[in-house]
Amino acid sequence: MSAKQQHPFHLVELSPWPILTAFSLLFVTLGVVFLMHGHSMAEYFSIFGGGAVIFCSYHWWKDVIKEGRVGHHHTEKVRMGLRIGMALFILSEAMFFFGFFFSFFLARFFPAGILEGLWVTGEGLWPPKGIQTFDPWDIPFMNTLILLLSGTTVTWAHYAITQNDQRNSVMALGITVLLGIAFTAFQAYEYHHAAFKLTDGIYAANFYLATGFHGLHVIIGTIFLTVCYFRAKNGHFIGGNGHLGFEFAAWYWHFVDVVWLFLFVFVYVLGR
């Protein structure tokens, strides 16, 4: 199937990676559930599942890259379908954060609610008594600047790729990856020095769920861009080879940037 496709359909060879990835994620889920219940097998399930996910993801991505570069399966019609799929995926991720923000705003504006018997909050009092919030103009503001700068560097990389400038595209992607790592490191430091824990009430639960889920997206986006960095070093995106993989990574990273701006304004600044 090495000849260039002439039809508009995304027909590729059968792959074992979707089903293997599904079972790997099942082991990760079981590990987390066992961990919550203090089961002795939790660590083994989590480590095996996590390692299997990484293994399957690596080979699955490798096959997708080969489909486009060697098999020439990614015709214009196929690329359009893949773009629609990525857009719908990002939209589904946005719905996750919509739910988190809805929960936060509900607790913020109506602090005495259905959880009053479990997590006591005073009427009109937010954050609840005993919660010492973060200073938004310290690490959160620094992380905001880091993500905004990373948005400019990933745009720089995109421009360099469109100009067939491999040197600058590699440099810009490398800087973006380092900025993503820096953001994660600062957030880990912030969590380590937090004055409240996940179990300290409805404010803490909403805070860690929203910011932690975003932090997970930053880690995934950093991995995505790291793959693009090594592909750019190998010249995959220049000379008319196409750059659909990088395009999706850039979309995802800009989504992460925008979500953080909402988190910074509504959770860190206005949520104090």
Side-chain angles (χ1 to χ4, degrees), residues 46-64:
S46 299
I47 293 174
F48 175 79
V53 168
I54 294 173
F55 177 82
C56 292
S57 299
Y58 171 80
H59 286 281
W60 197 352
W61 270 358
K62 184 178 178 181
D63 286 353
V64 172

Side-chain angles (χ1 to χ4, degrees), residues 24-87:
S24 301
L25 291 171
L26 175 62
F27 274 95
V28 172
T29 304
L30 289 174
V32 172
V33 172
F34 288 160
L35 183 64
M36 291 178 177
H37 291 273
H39 199 283
S40 59
M41 297 293 290
E43 292 184 4
Y44 299 104
F45 274 86
S46 299
I47 293 174
F48 175 79
V53 168
I54 294 173
F55 177 82
C56 292
S57 299
Y58 171 80
H59 286 281
W60 197 352
W61 270 358
K62 184 178 178 181
D63 286 353
V64 172
I65 293 170
K66 184 179 178 181
E67 289 169 7
R69 286 183 50 80
V70 180
H72 302 289
H73 296 294
H74 295 171
T75 62
E76 184 55 40
K77 293 275 188 180
V78 170
R79 289 197 293 271
M80 179 57 67
L82 293 174
R83 288 189 179 98
I84 293 173
M86 187 65 185

